[in-house]
Amino acid sequence: PSGWTNVDGSNRAWLASKLPCLDWLLVKLCLASPTEFNKKTTYTNLLSRFPWKDQSVEAIYLGEILEHFTQIAGEQVLHECYRVLKPSGILRIRVPDHARFWKNYVDEYELVKQKPRIQWSLAHTRWTAMYFQNLCICRSYIWQSMGHYHKWMYDEISLTLLIESV
């Protein structure tokens, strides 16, 4: 949005901000998906000290970012957020709901299990496949995930306790 700075430390953010012509070409060749990252994106290593002064930022939005860090690294990122936020600043966090994800798996599993054995299927395992094939693996080919994958998952309890501890 206007007035916001898009900050990211991903490989894709680096590519789109530092080599936008190459990123554009990869998209045109269908080797990469379109992205909102561009040369206006501020690329920074989010595991390092943020490049802003203490209490200088009005708001931070961590949208689908925190899960890409280990549990310890995620805590470090949150400490940096609080360091740079103004006293009345706002930190908004969005992460996938780990509990809801596995609840979907368990619900579908229970539906299959209630059927006669002859009607059983592996339809419920799509959640397991999604988790291991798309979310929490490091792909050997760089174009799919650009080297980024989920390293930790949160639910309401774990995220709330983490925020409170930071």
Side-chain angles (χ1 to χ4, degrees):
S2 178
W4 285 75
T5 302
N6 188 359
V7 178
D8 201 286
S10 68
N11 294 334
R12 185 61 186 278
W14 181 89
L15 180 65
S17 65
K18 306 293 184 192
L19 301 170
C21 292
L22 177 57
D23 187 73
W24 175 85
L25 179 61
L26 292 172
V27 171
K28 288 297 176 193
L29 294 173
C30 296
L31 295 173
S33 301
T35 181
E36 292 183 6
F37 299 133
N38 56 49
K39 55 187 167 184
K40 292 181 181 178
T41 300
T42 299
Y43 173 80
T44 192
N45 180 354
L46 298 175
L47 294 176
S48 298
R49 185 174 173 89
F50 289 2
W52 297 280
K53 295 178 183 176
D54 292 3
Q55 300 182 354
S56 64
V57 176
E58 293 179 23
I60 298 173
Y61 174 58
L62 296 177
E64 303 280 338
I65 292 173
L66 208 52
E67 66 275 10
H68 292 272
F69 297 102
T70 64
Q71 185 180 21
I72 292 169
E75 184 175 341
Q76 292 170 340
V77 168
L78 288 179
H79 276 287
E80 276 300 289
C81 289
Y82 281 107
R83 181 185 66 77
V84 302
L85 273 174
K86 291 181 176 181
S88 60
I90 296 171
L91 174 62
R92 183 173 180 188
I93 301 172
R94 179 179 175 194
V95 293
D97 186 338
H98 193 57
R100 163 85 94 209
F101 184 90
W102 288 113
K103 183 181 182 316
N104 291 335
Y105 164 82
V106 170
D107 288 349
E108 288 187 23
Y109 167 82
E110 292 297 335
L111 287 174
V112 171
K113 193 175 175 189
Q114 290 174 10
K115 295 179 180 180
R117 169 64 186 88
I118 193 78
Q119 295 177 6
W120 281 8
S121 73
L122 295 176
H124 68 286
T125 65
R126 69 190 179 96
W127 295 99
T128 305
M130 184 187 318
Y131 189 76
F132 288 104
Q133 293 172 3
N134 300 320
L135 300 177
C136 70
I137 62 162
C138 181
R139 299 212 180 270
S140 58
Y141 49 96
I142 195 167
W143 304 122
Q144 180 70 24
S145 65
M146 292 297 287
H148 294 278
Y149 53 97
H150 292 190
K151 297 174 184 81
W152 191 252
M153 294 293 285
Y154 298 90
D155 53 42
E156 181 180 358
I157 295 169
S158 63
L159 185 58
T160 300
L161 291 175
L162 173 61
I163 292 167
E164 288 174 350
S165 75
V166 170

